[in-house]
Amino acid sequence: MKTLYIIRHAKSSWSFDLDDHDRPLGFRGRKDVMTMGKYLSHNTSIPDIIISSTASRALNTALFIADDWGYPESEIQVDKNLYHASAPQIISILKNQQEDCVAIFGHNPGLTELANRFVKDYISNVPTGACLGIEFNMDNWSEIENAGAQQIFFHTPKSIKMTLRH
């Protein structure tokens, strides 16, 4: 059994004249990632490995959530190939993993495309700051394309805030 956490970067800032790759998290993104990190740290297992896009907004999302999980920042793997990667590119990265639980931090449309390769109910969009958990019935990540998969959760910052209010 293998577990994948698909996490889209939190909302970015457009306040600076920067290349897309260098855009930081915006005010709402910083708030949302703190909410998501706290929620994940109390409701999910700590991943064995975190792999993040090199983009500032994705890496900072990974850092904040890693802090809440108690995952050492020095062990986060940064992969430039995750920057705007397609689902096949992400699957290629996953196929090389050995760990049981992998967290991927990246971008749309690739993350939504990846999610829809494996979940039963169509997801029109993995929104910023969202986390989707999928369990795979397989022994090795190299088997991912043919493995049975089951969605175990799908949380957005908005859905978590609504849960916390009740």
Side-chain angles (χ1 to χ4, degrees):
M1 191 72 72
K2 303 289 185 188
T3 304
L4 175 64
Y5 300 149
I6 297 171
I7 305 166
R8 184 172 172 203
H9 65 79
K11 200 80 164 158
S12 61
S13 172
W14 291 89
S15 298
F16 307 97
D17 185 21
L18 297 169
D19 288 338
D20 179 69
H21 185 273
D22 299 328
R23 280 189 294 117
L25 293 176
F27 176 74
R28 187 174 123 205
R30 293 189 301 273
K31 284 179 58 174
D32 286 349
V33 76
M34 300 298 269
T35 300
M36 182 61 73
K38 283 185 179 68
Y39 184 85
L40 291 175
S41 72
H42 289 97
N43 295 285
T44 63
S45 299
I46 300 169
D48 299 312
I49 186 169
I50 292 176
I51 309 169
S52 176
S53 159
T54 55
S56 176
R57 60 196 181 274
L59 182 55
N60 279 290
T61 300
L63 286 165
F64 278 110
I65 292 177
D67 286 346
D68 283 318
W69 268 325
Y71 187 95
E73 74 175 39
S74 61
E75 293 183 23
I76 295 173
Q77 291 189 10
V78 181
D79 190 330
K80 67 179 185 235
N81 295 316
L82 276 175
Y83 179 60
H84 290 300
S86 65
Q89 290 169 311
I90 299 168
I91 289 170
S92 178
I93 291 167
L94 289 170
K95 283 182 173 183
N96 293 316
Q97 302 311 308
Q98 303 301 315
E99 294 77 6
D100 288 332
C101 183
V102 176
I104 293 280
F105 288 78
H107 312 268
N108 265 350
L111 293 182
T112 297
E113 180 187 347
L114 179 69
N116 284 312
R117 295 274 297 259
F118 302 112
V119 299
K120 186 170 65 171
D121 296 324
Y122 179 77
I123 296 172
S124 62
N125 178 45
V126 174
T128 53
C131 182
L132 171 68
I134 303 173
E135 275 187 348
F136 293 89
N137 187 14
M138 62 186 186
D139 294 321
N140 297 299
W141 284 103
S142 61
E143 304 165 7
I144 189 171
E145 290 178 289
N146 299 312
Q150 179 179 340
Q151 178 179 322
I152 50 177
F153 64 82
F154 183 36
H155 302 300
T156 65
K158 189 176 191 175
S159 70
I160 290 171
K161 289 173 189 171
M162 289 173 61
T163 302
L164 296 174
R165 284 189 200 131
H166 294 98

